[in-house]
Amino acid sequence: MTRLRLGTLAAAALLAAGLLTVAGCSSESSGSRARMYDSVSSMADDSSLVVTGTVGEQRVADDVADAGSTTLSTVRVVDTAKTDADHPAGSTVVVRQHGTARSSDPGMLLEEGSTYLLYLSPSALDGDLASQYFVTGGAAGVYVGEDGRSDFRRGMDEGDELPDRLTLADALHG
């Protein structure tokens, strides 16, 4: 083979290896992590809403080109630590999470009927999707409610330095 052809083959092999490496690092459940959190207050600062709520219904959507399936959870807001005029207690918010329960690795998906303490950020999508929210920090912004307890346990440890349990009163400064 000529030197040019060998160089082209080597470049193609490196490109393919790089693409496989990037694909292997992606997570269907939480999407891209722009930052790891070292405190509750830093995660709260990056969130537009910090609420407790119960998931009322879920559906799967393929409404963003090349993004794959997304689970949409309608959450009834029970109480708020940080909110805006559109999301007081008693209102609803739609939470977007990459992946579905049928994914091979669904990660930390909200569950219908369960109650959570959630740190939420605007979706920054266009049109009607702009009113929806992502969980701040992927699974970092999900604390799970347990029957008979007033605090919430951390849903999934992704390496952030966050407390294992939080109450709504501690949700901004924990």
Side-chain angles (χ1 to χ4, degrees), residues 2-138:
T2 67
R3 202 184 303 191
L4 179 59
R5 188 165 178 184
L6 284 174
T8 302
L9 288 173
L14 286 173
L15 177 61
L19 289 175
L20 287 173
T21 300
V22 170
C25 292
S26 71
S27 168
E28 286 189 59
S29 63
S30 58
S32 173
R33 287 293 305 266
R35 136 177 219 193
M36 300 300 283
Y37 289 99
D38 61 359
S39 70
V40 168
S41 60
S42 64
M43 188 165 60
D45 288 346
D46 284 353
S47 302
S48 296
L49 305 175
V50 180
V51 302
T52 61
T54 302
V55 177
E57 85 173 328
Q58 291 182 310
R59 67 183 179 89
V60 174
D62 290 304
D63 52 4
V64 176
D66 300 323
S69 295
T70 300
T71 298
L72 302 176
S73 300
T74 301
V75 177
R76 167 92 35 210
V77 176
V78 174
D79 208 346
T80 63
K82 181 179 183 180
T83 192
D84 57 25
D86 295 329
H87 299 95
S91 66
T92 60
V93 61
V94 176
V95 178
R96 299 180 67 86
Q97 292 180 285
H98 299 292
T100 70
R102 292 188 176 143
S103 300
S104 61
D105 180 20
M108 180 70 208
L109 289 177
L110 302 181
E111 293 180 16
E112 201 169 322
S114 295
T115 301
Y116 299 92
L117 168 61
L118 298 170
Y119 291 79
L120 302 172
S121 301
S123 70
L125 297 171
D126 294 328
D128 293 339
L129 305 182
S131 67
Q132 299 174 355
Y133 287 78
F134 285 112
V135 176
T136 304

